[in-house]
Amino acid sequence: MSEKTDIGRELDGVLQKPKRQLAMVFDLNKCLGCHTCSISCKRQWTREEGMDNMWWAVVNTMPGKGTPKNWEGMGGGWDEKGEPRPSKIPTRDEFGDAWKFNKEEVFHGGKGKTVYLKPVNTKGEDPDWGPNWDEDEGGGEYPNSHFFYLPRICNHCTHPACLEACPRGAIYKRDEDGVVLINDKQCKGFRFCMEACPYKRIYYNHVRDVTQKCIFCFPRVEKGVAPACARQCPGRLRFVGYLDDENGPIHKLVHKFKVALPLHQEYGTQPNVYYVPPLSPPAVDMHGKVDPSKPRIPTEYLEGLFGPRVKDVLAVLEAEKEKKAKGLPSELMDTLIVYKWPENIFPDFVQDPANL
């Protein structure tokens, strides 16, 4: 039996509603841009043949071109009528190729004082793009230059365009937690999923001829361990939990306080990764005079990423922050601060992996 999605798109009955939905909230006011999340994911999941250029968890500097390069202009997802948006498959060069370094020459060739580490891509050429290539460049002009960090993984969408695009039926949403996975025994590397995903968070493994992506660390989750990117995050900005758990931080930030927003909601896939937008200092003029009416990061830019509610969310955050500074109670600030780790940030996944 067919049904309609929240944006009116007819489904063919293949898509199942999970019993529960796992989700993440990233508080962008805490992100250090240290890439510990990326490294922990890389070490755990993408070390096999053909995965050398894969970064399932990336941290992009915004404003910036992102990973893959200019992904926001590649299309995918659904339009306002529920029809697929035209799209393209990002190339390996646009994701950023895996680099090799002349380590042998520098460390073992006796030239350590005269040569230096130099990267080349798989073509033996100087690289001209990579994950977060434009790190810390940002936007704006002096004295109001600005940037912030935007961690990104697969959004494990409620209505994943990748799932509907797969002619092999290799992509599915798990019934128990809504995690979107690719069955690599069924996948034949057609890459329609890469074309359909508007967030371009799916990679192609040219050795195995399959597509691969973030799996929400489901083998860890099943044992009560938080995903590697969340557990290793030194900024403690990655909240993990179920959307329907009214006592959990995810439900509170998304539904109770309504301060966590999806990235590019207009893509129509209903992502289950949410962001607390970044606050910023006020703008200043060339003489250093502060203009409290203008934030350093233009609100219009944030609205382009997180939608029209950004201004309201920032106002709530400022008001609650001021209450806390005056010694008044604020459940929202207490939730964002995370006094007890890991209990307050992913209460269902506090198991220490070292004890398994």
Side-chain angles (χ1 to χ4, degrees):
M1 179 183 294
S2 67
E3 61 176 324
K4 290 186 176 182
T5 69
D6 295 347
I7 59 171
R9 177 171 176 74
E10 289 280 355
L11 298 175
D12 61 6
V14 174
L15 184 63
Q16 299 294 319
K17 290 183 178 178
K19 294 175 181 174
R20 305 186 79 185
Q21 179 63 57
L22 263 179
M24 280 198 193
V25 170
F26 297 162
D27 183 356
L28 298 184
N29 295 289
K30 292 182 179 178
C31 187
L32 312 169
C34 66
H35 301 274
T36 305
C37 53
S38 303
I39 298 299
S40 60
C41 176
K42 182 71 179 171
R43 291 292 300 165
Q44 179 139 12
W45 300 116
T46 63
R47 295 183 294 166
E48 298 179 354
E49 286 289 309
M51 305 176 81
D52 43 0
N53 77 319
M54 294 186 189
W55 293 89
W56 291 356
V58 295
V59 181
N60 291 152
T61 296
M62 304 299 285
K65 295 177 181 176
T67 309
K69 185 179 183 180
N70 293 322
W71 65 272
E72 291 172 283
M74 289 184 177
W78 319 114
D79 64 19
E80 63 278 3
K81 297 180 181 178
E83 298 295 325
R85 294 197 311 152
S87 183
K88 62 166 285 188
I89 301 173
T91 66
R92 189 178 171 106
D93 286 342
E94 288 168 329
F95 275 109
D97 213 340
W99 299 347
K100 292 183 178 179
F101 292 84
N102 53 332
K103 295 179 181 176
E104 184 67 27
E105 181 182 33
V106 173
F107 296 124
H108 306 293
K111 300 179 181 178
K113 295 184 179 179
T114 57
V115 298
Y116 56 91
L117 285 175
K118 183 180 180 182
V120 295
N121 60 24
T122 52
K123 301 172 186 174
E125 302 169 344
D126 291 338
D128 58 6
W129 189 253
N132 206 21
W133 178 269
D134 47 5
E135 182 169 6
D136 290 1
E137 288 187 9
E141 296 182 358
Y142 180 83
N144 289 304
S145 305
H146 57 267
F147 67 80
F148 62 92
Y149 300 112
L150 183 74
R152 295 203 302 125
I153 60 174
C154 166
N155 287 301
H156 298 277
C157 302
T158 295
H159 303 297
C162 60
L163 186 154
E164 288 198 53
C166 178
R168 294 279 302 172
I171 302 180
Y172 61 102
K173 260 182 98 64
R174 299 215 309 178
D175 188 46
E176 61 267 43
D177 54 21
V179 171
V180 177
L181 298 176
I182 300 175
N183 183 339
D184 60 8
K185 294 181 179 178
Q186 285 184 236
C187 177
K188 294 298 181 183
F190 294 154
R191 284 167 278 181
F192 291 116
C193 55
M194 295 178 66
E195 185 175 0
C197 172
Y199 298 96
K200 305 306 179 193
R201 286 285 71 224
I202 304 177
Y203 289 85
Y204 175 61
N205 187 321
H206 65 284
V207 174
R208 297 184 55 203
D209 194 21
V210 296
T211 54
Q212 296 174 300
K213 68 171 191 66
C214 160
I215 58 174
F216 213 99
C217 282
F218 77 87
R220 293 170 63 104
V221 166
E222 289 175 352
K223 293 183 180 298
V225 180
C229 62
R231 188 170 176 92
Q232 295 301 111
C233 174
R236 298 182 181 179
L237 63 102
R238 294 174 177 244
F239 297 80
V240 183
Y242 294 98
L243 277 168
D244 65 344
D245 178 7
E246 295 185 0
N247 295 317
I250 297 291
H251 182 88
K252 289 181 178 178
L253 294 172
V254 175
H255 294 304
K256 182 177 180 179
F257 303 121
K258 302 183 187 301
V259 296
L261 304 170
L263 176 64
H264 286 302
Q265 187 174 18
E266 71 274 16
Y267 293 168
T269 60
Q270 285 189 256
N272 288 302
V273 172
Y274 300 84
Y275 296 86
V276 178
L279 297 164
S280 70
V284 296
D285 65 17
M286 294 300 290
H287 304 288
K289 184 177 180 181
V290 174
D291 182 353
S293 68
K294 296 180 181 177
R296 184 82 57 85
I297 303 173
T299 306
E300 296 77 16
Y301 177 72
L302 296 179
E303 288 176 337
L305 295 174
F306 305 114
R309 288 191 52 237
V310 161
K311 187 178 291 185
D312 295 338
V313 169
L314 293 176
V316 169
L317 293 173
E318 289 284 6
E320 293 297 309
K321 191 175 71 165
E322 189 171 338
K323 283 171 57 178
K324 195 70 178 177
K326 292 179 178 177
L328 299 173
S330 170
E331 186 182 357
L332 170 56
M333 285 295 113
D334 288 346
T335 302
L336 291 173
I337 288 171
V338 182
Y339 288 103
K340 293 183 179 179
W341 184 92
E343 292 87 349
N344 290 164
I345 195 164
F346 26 77
D348 294 302
F349 308 102
V350 298
Q351 178 70 45
D352 186 341
N355 296 330
L356 294 178

